[in-house]
Amino acid sequence: MQKNIKEHDFKIGKTERNAAKGHPSFLIWFTGLSGSGKSTIANAVEQELHQRGMHTYILDGDNIRHGLNSDLDFSPDSRTENIRRIGEVANLMVDAGLIVLAAFVSPYRKDRDLVAKTVGNGNYVEVYVSTSLEECERRDVKGLYEKARRGEIKNMTGISAPYEAPENPDIEVDHTYSLEDSVNKIITTIENRIKSYPHE
Ligand SMILES: Nc1ncnc2c1ncn2[C@@H]1O[C@H](COP(=O)(O)OS(=O)(=O)O)[C@@H](OP(=O)(O)O)[C@H]1O
Ligand SMILES: Nc1ncnc2c1ncn2[C@@H]1O[C@H](COP(=O)(O)OP(=O)(O)O)[C@@H](O)[C@H]1O
């Protein structure tokens, strides 16, 4: 499909852009059930990074499922395509020099693995928000679980569609963590990650 396409050798690359911004760029991927806290935690982590002068961007359902992926539903194939496209977008943003925070249910392990491969494993930090289904249902932020239990929503993750938990996430937080504790745990890991990058 991609025959006859040759990449141009541009002179300004990720290395130059990271040097200009003063920090490395990578992807922080939040996965977990609906209502587990992905967006809330990603938002708080972004605020913390922003305060430290870092260049960030959040990808989540609001800016992706209403726009780029508005043609996709919640069937298994659509979810896979949703995550594949998001991985490609995140890769461009990481290449552009941003610390990207992505908050998606992303229920399939193979799809998350593809994202990690797309951005490069060294540029992928997986955060598993492992809040239990029971707690997510208790919160029922959007009323989706109640509808799913009534059979009004098909393919609801955790009820009538699968969620494959990460086997080896870089970070795991759940509802026993306060928001502040979750943010601190993630920021500590990110800071260590940044220190381990070669100074460019
Ligand atoms: N069937 C079903 N299953 C799960 N979630 C559903 C469903 N229908 C709608 N929603 C709402 O859509 C949000 C999940 O979208 P994602 O793009 O993150 O899903 S996925 O990664 O493609 O599985 C999810 O948002 P969050 O609550 O922010 O996770 C839900 O609000
Ligand atoms: N410790 C916590 N960490 C994150 N969110 C929490 C916590 N305790 C309660 N919440 C609430 O749970 C809900 C999580 O919703 P949201 O962040 O939209 O989840 P998701 O993006 O995974 O669907 C929010 O209303 C948030 O205020």
Side-chain angles (χ1 to χ4, degrees):
M1 240 198 312
Q2 285 156 15
K3 282 180 221 157
N4 304 323
I5 296 179
K6 191 178 177 307
E7 283 176 24
H8 195 89
D9 180 23
F10 292 112
K11 299 296 177 218
I12 303 298
K14 183 169 178 259
T15 306
E16 290 73 24
R17 287 188 279 268
N18 284 182
K21 291 202 168 9
H23 61 78
S25 55
F26 50 90
L27 171 62
I28 310 171
W29 187 271
F30 295 80
T31 175
L33 296 173
S34 174
S36 56
K38 302 179 298 296
S39 303
T40 303
I41 299 167
N43 186 36
V45 169
E46 184 182 38
Q47 283 179 290
E48 204 48 53
L49 294 173
H50 188 75
Q51 270 177 12
R52 291 163 198 228
M54 296 185 180
H55 300 78
T56 59
Y57 193 81
I58 292 195
L59 294 170
D60 81 356
D62 283 340
N63 54 24
I64 293 291
R65 273 201 175 266
H66 294 305
L68 176 69
N69 291 352
S70 58
D71 57 325
L72 301 178
D73 58 22
F74 290 91
S75 66
D77 282 354
S78 276
R79 289 183 198 250
T80 292
E81 177 61 7
N82 183 39
I83 300 305
R84 187 195 69 79
R85 288 184 200 170
I86 293 160
E88 294 291 344
V89 170
N91 187 39
L92 292 175
M93 291 185 148
V94 168
D95 194 45
L98 298 176
I99 296 176
V100 180
L101 302 97
F104 296 92
V105 173
S106 47
Y108 300 121
R109 209 170 285 134
K110 68 168 175 35
D111 296 347
R112 298 189 299 262
D113 288 349
L114 178 64
V115 173
K117 201 172 149 205
T118 301
V119 298
N121 284 298
N123 296 322
Y124 177 84
V125 181
E126 191 167 79
V127 181
Y128 176 28
V129 186
S130 62
T131 304
S132 65
L133 175 64
E134 188 188 9
E135 174 63 14
C136 293
E137 270 200 271
R138 195 192 61 74
R139 292 178 183 170
D140 208 359
V141 185
K142 299 169 185 165
L144 295 176
Y145 287 106
E146 200 188 329
K147 282 189 186 161
R149 290 289 183 198
R150 286 203 302 260
E152 290 168 22
I153 295 181
K154 292 187 185 111
N155 289 333
M156 181 66 195
T157 307
I159 308 282
S160 43
Y163 179 80
E164 299 171 1
E167 281 168 343
N168 198 16
D170 296 291
I171 306 166
E172 181 172 349
V173 293
D174 66 18
H175 65 283
T176 64
Y177 285 69
S178 67
L179 181 56
E180 196 189 353
D181 288 346
S182 293
V183 172
N184 287 340
K185 187 171 181 182
I186 294 164
I187 291 286
T188 303
T189 303
I190 290 169
E191 280 178 338
N192 288 333
R193 174 77 66 129
I194 288 173
K195 277 187 216 144
S196 75
Y197 275 89
H199 290 285
E200 288 157 340

